[in-house]
Amino acid sequence: MPRSSTSAEAATAHSFNKLLNQHKSSSRSRSAADVEESMKKLRRLILVDGIPSADPTLRPRIWKILLRVQHVSADMFLEYVARGPCEVREKIRNDTFRTLATDRGFKERVREDMLVRLLDAFVWRNHDRHESDLGFTYVQGMNVLAAPFLYTMPSELEAFFCFAKFIEESCPLYVQPTLEGVHRGLKLLDRCLKIVDPELFAHLRSKNLSAEIYAFPSVLTLCACTPPLDQVLLLWDFLLAFGVHLNVLCVVAQLLLMRDKLMESPSPYVHLRAFPPLDAQPVIGIAVTLVRDLPADLYEELVRHPYAVDHH
């Protein structure tokens, strides 16, 4: 790496650390408005500079702040683990061995038993909780949603509490047995694409290609199914900072980045079967600009689709 970019990374890491230290002290002693102000600064820094890899402690600390995970209970986690296999263990095992199977770095850091333990514990946790309208068990895609947390967090314990908070609060409808949030997201993807690029939308439609057909894995896993993992993590920094709903626009952005190929191709599905390797920065840049092109009511629907039970 050239020296200039290394020193730029170091400077960015310094800015993040300074902000995190302020946030820590402000959480203890300052008003909610001050805490929100430091969250705003943090989000802006993520958008403008991205979380630098120069300091490997940054991402886990930032994800915990964004998810508002303040306390993790080892006793509680160990109690779930001690219960052993949950009732859907077989379903979990059918998926876990395939999780990010082609990513060597992931396989070296996250063993299959860690994934199984976390998912078992999550099912047990929700076995005991009755205060929410939505129940949770293990569903398809959850293994891939758990993977970035196990890869990023320094311990299984922290990964578990971050994953649980994320699933239960950020995208509960994505993991209902019907995958309701995912199907809503796919319908919204078609509507957004029709507005931002009617020509591309019409071309795909003329080949009977709706988002349900080509974008299901990308919406289901919040793009974590598209390697490489380091780019997935950069995209997730953005989604955790600004909202899971923006993943729909990140998928639209990926379509726009391969627009020429899709428009020229007599069978565009060939290019959509496996998306090109993820390049987070341009995808985020395009997604942010697309927000401005959407009618307010459609954007509002987009914001609510991962978690709001009431409207269809």
Side-chain angles (χ1 to χ4, degrees), residues 89-155:
R89 161 63 79 83
E90 210 167 306
K91 213 171 154 188
I92 291 173
R93 287 300 300 269
N94 281 339
D95 289 344
T96 47
F97 74 94
R98 288 194 288 252
T99 310
L100 307 190
T102 57
D103 191 292
R104 277 224 353 248
F106 176 77
K107 286 291 185 199
E108 281 164 15
R109 195 182 300 188
V110 180
R111 297 186 316 277
E112 189 189 353
D113 63 295
M114 292 159 72
L115 258 175
V116 172
R117 216 173 7 251
L118 181 144
L119 294 165
D120 266 337
F122 180 74
V123 174
W124 283 124
R125 166 188 169 89
N126 284 286
H127 207 260
D128 296 350
R129 294 168 81 236
H130 304 291
E131 70 269 22
S132 116
D133 308 339
L134 296 167
F136 296 95
T137 180
Y138 176 77
V139 298
Q140 174 195 4
M142 238 184 215
N143 55 315
V144 184
L145 293 174
F149 292 105
L150 280 167
Y151 184 82
T152 298
M153 290 295 151
S155 68

Side-chain angles (χ1 to χ4, degrees), residues 187-198:
K187 287 192 179 81
L188 285 161
L189 198 157
D190 277 329
R191 288 168 61 195
C192 293
L193 182 61
K194 190 176 184 177
I195 286 168
V196 302
D197 195 334

Side-chain angles (χ1 to χ4, degrees), residues 144-206:
V144 184
L145 293 174
F149 292 105
L150 280 167
Y151 184 82
T152 298
M153 290 295 151
S155 68
E156 275 182 61
L157 175 66
E158 288 158 285
F160 171 75
F161 281 98
C162 288
F163 170 75
K165 187 91 184 257
F166 174 70
I167 291 292
E168 290 157 10
E169 291 184 12
S170 301
C171 55
L173 295 186
Y174 272 53
V175 296
Q176 294 307 300
T178 58
L179 304 179
E180 184 190 338
V182 178
H183 294 296
R184 273 195 205 178
L186 290 160
K187 287 192 179 81
L188 285 161
L189 198 157
D190 277 329
R191 288 168 61 195
C192 293
L193 182 61
K194 190 176 184 177
I195 286 168
V196 302
D197 195 334
E199 198 186 353
L200 177 58
F201 175 78
H203 176 62
L204 294 178
R205 266 298 153 99
S206 73

Side-chain angles (χ1 to χ4, degrees), residues 286-306:
I286 294 168
V288 169
T289 59
L290 292 177
V291 171
R292 295 195 286 261
D293 299 333
L294 299 180
D297 57 337
L298 176 57
Y299 186 68
E300 177 59 22
E301 240 182 286
L302 191 64
V303 169
R304 294 166 58 83
H305 88 273

Side-chain angles (χ1 to χ4, degrees), residues 192-250:
C192 293
L193 182 61
K194 190 176 184 177
I195 286 168
V196 302
D197 195 334
E199 198 186 353
L200 177 58
F201 175 78
H203 176 62
L204 294 178
R205 266 298 153 99
S206 73
K207 311 289 181 189
N208 292 322
L209 290 174
S210 66
E212 280 278 351
I213 290 167
Y214 64 78
F216 181 78
S218 298
V219 174
L220 176 74
T221 66
L222 307 177
C223 292
C225 61
T226 306
L229 184 56
D230 65 322
Q231 296 299 307
V232 170
L233 298 178
L234 289 170
L235 190 72
W236 275 39
D237 296 339
F238 167 69
L239 296 177
L240 292 178
F242 293 95
V244 162
H245 64 282
L246 289 167
N247 180 57
V248 168
L249 297 182
C250 290

